[in-house]
Amino acid sequence: MASDGKDPDETLLAGVGRGDPSAVRALLDRRLPRILALARRMLNDAGEAEDVAQETFLRAWKQARSWTPGQARFDTWLHRVALNLCYDRLRRRREVVTDTPPEQVDTGPAPDAGLMRADLSKRVEAALAALPARQREAIVLCHHQGLGNIEAARLMEISVEALESLLGRGRRALKASLADLAGAGG
Amino acid sequence: MMGPEMPIGRFEDLAEIYGGEIARWPEGEREAARALLAAHPERLSPRLANAAQLDRLLDLAPAQSVDAALLGRLIAAAPQASGAARRWIAGLGAALGLSAAAFAGVLVGVSLAGHAQPAAVAPVVTAQIAMGRADSPITAVDVSTDLQDALEEGSEL
């Protein structure tokens, strides 16, 4: 679980701090896809996800030389930074878009005529995007990022009970909006 | 040793909250959940299967492949072994009309001969050679600069 044992990124991070290019590459190989996926699923926008991932790692580079092992896992820290950046962007969107975002996902045409995988993928992405941000965050952290409940709750600065409430409500909403796809996930 | 028994309602809640894989449920409740499932498979297996359907749909939510340009930008902006020393090498080498790589080679020779030189230079040059990059362009990117500064700075060298 989250807080046990040594941070698996500690050695690589020390290498990054020393300017070791192989450590930079290894750390990016290990963590960049995760952070990019997190941002993509939170923001539902490829360009913004890339911006968030880039900014997250630029901040990590600044921290690398002064990183104090044992305070927080680097992966958790990356998630926190990326999530903050995602919320900044979500807030800006709300300020720019004066219309209330649609609560219901456009379910499109009847899907039982054999939706292609790409269509399914779009439907799921749209359903996730239509969730309230905190429910989406809980699902992305626990399901997609594979964090344990304690780590996810700590990251979201809520209790495990509150996390479970967000997960339960989020999954119920998704189930309802994707009900016509039951059995289509393969 | 068996843990405390789990009420069926809690099992059903957990399936709804964490999905259809008990392995992804809270660690402290997995053992009791498996025991309960073994005792009531006909009632609880369908709950897991139902939750797993949503898991499979969620797995379809697109991730995003890492773009080579993004990777390149981040590598370029990463901390480098003593950026100041790299700038010093590049600047002095240019002043002497040598390529940075050639000048780095001169410095290595000087270092091996035991002559005085800035302390930070030798490790940098050694690192360059060890990485097989002695002939690659030297980029001077300080860790404290942001990407824009880093790219601008790199293009000046």
Side-chain angles (χ1 to χ4, degrees):
Chain A
M1 196 52 77
S3 54
D4 298 341
K6 193 182 170 191
D7 186 341
D9 295 324
E10 198 178 303
T11 305
L12 283 180
L13 200 56
V16 171
R18 288 193 304 271
D20 173 1
S22 63
V24 168
R25 187 59 200 249
L27 195 67
L28 285 170
D29 285 347
R30 183 187 289 179
R31 297 300 178 198
L32 178 57
R34 262 170 82 66
I35 295 303
L36 195 55
L38 170 73
R40 169 62 185 262
R41 287 167 176 148
M42 284 300 293
L43 297 170
N44 189 23
D45 183 290
E48 286 199 284
E50 206 167 271
D51 290 346
V52 163
Q54 177 171 299
E55 180 59 28
T56 301
F57 278 90
L58 289 177
R59 292 186 188 189
W61 297 160
K62 288 181 183 177
Q63 290 287 322
R65 285 185 209 251
S66 57
W67 183 264
T68 309
Q71 288 191 338
R73 283 165 62 115
F74 180 64
D75 188 52
T76 306
W77 183 89
L78 279 180
H79 275 71
R80 185 68 269 157
V81 172
L83 285 169
N84 285 341
L85 292 167
C86 286
Y87 275 103
D88 287 346
R89 285 168 183 267
L90 290 171
R91 266 192 296 275
R92 248 178 276 155
R93 280 186 198 171
R94 278 200 297 273
E95 286 160 13
V96 172
V97 182
T98 52
D99 296 336
T100 309
E103 284 298 314
Q104 297 297 319
V105 178
D106 176 11
T107 54
D112 43 294
L115 274 179
M116 300 297 287
R117 188 179 174 87
D119 297 326
L120 281 172
S121 185
K122 276 184 195 160
R123 280 285 311 281
V124 175
E125 187 173 37
L128 257 182
L131 289 179
R134 293 291 271 178
Q135 291 178 22
R136 182 165 65 251
E137 182 181 0
I139 287 173
V140 170
L141 289 179
C142 290
H143 183 85
H144 295 105
Q145 303 296 105
L147 299 188
N149 60 339
I150 295 171
E151 189 176 9
R154 190 178 297 145
L155 198 50
M156 294 179 71
E157 299 176 332
I158 57 177
S159 66
V160 168
E161 291 74 21
L163 174 77
E164 292 192 346
S165 171
L166 288 169
L167 284 170
R169 281 184 286 148
R171 286 180 63 101
R172 276 194 296 277
L174 286 174
K175 208 182 225 177
S177 63
L178 300 172
D180 56 304
L181 300 181
Chain B
M1 195 164 67
M2 288 293 295
E5 282 188 16
M6 174 180 283
I8 282 188
R10 177 61 181 163
F11 186 103
E12 292 171 339
D13 286 347
L14 287 170
E16 197 155 285
I17 291 166
Y18 294 103
E21 271 185 59
I22 292 177
R24 302 180 74 157
W25 293 9
E27 208 172 347
E29 300 188 84
R30 288 177 204 159
E31 188 184 342
R34 289 194 182 103
L36 194 66
L37 176 64
H40 303 281
E42 64 297 327
R43 174 167 176 181
L44 297 178
S45 292
R47 301 302 291 248
L48 287 183
N50 190 268
Q53 273 194 348
L54 181 59
D55 293 342
R56 286 194 293 275
L57 285 174
L58 280 172
D59 289 339
L60 296 175
Q64 189 164 321
S65 54
V66 175
D67 181 68
L70 170 65
L71 194 60
R73 289 195 298 274
L74 287 172
I75 289 171
Q80 310 238 334
S82 182
R86 285 168 181 245
R87 278 192 293 273
W88 186 84
I89 293 170
L92 197 51
L96 293 173
L98 297 170
S99 74
F103 189 62
V106 170
L107 284 177
V108 170
V110 170
S111 173
L112 292 175
H115 290 279
Q117 60 167 293
V121 170
V124 174
V125 173
T126 306
Q128 283 272 59
I129 291 170
M131 291 177 316
R133 289 175 50 196
D135 58 348
S136 63
I138 292 179
T139 55
V141 183
D142 190 271
V143 66
S144 64
T145 59
D146 63 22
L147 181 63
Q148 194 57 43
D149 291 341
L151 294 175
E152 285 170 5
E153 191 175 0
S155 68
E156 287 168 9
L157 292 175

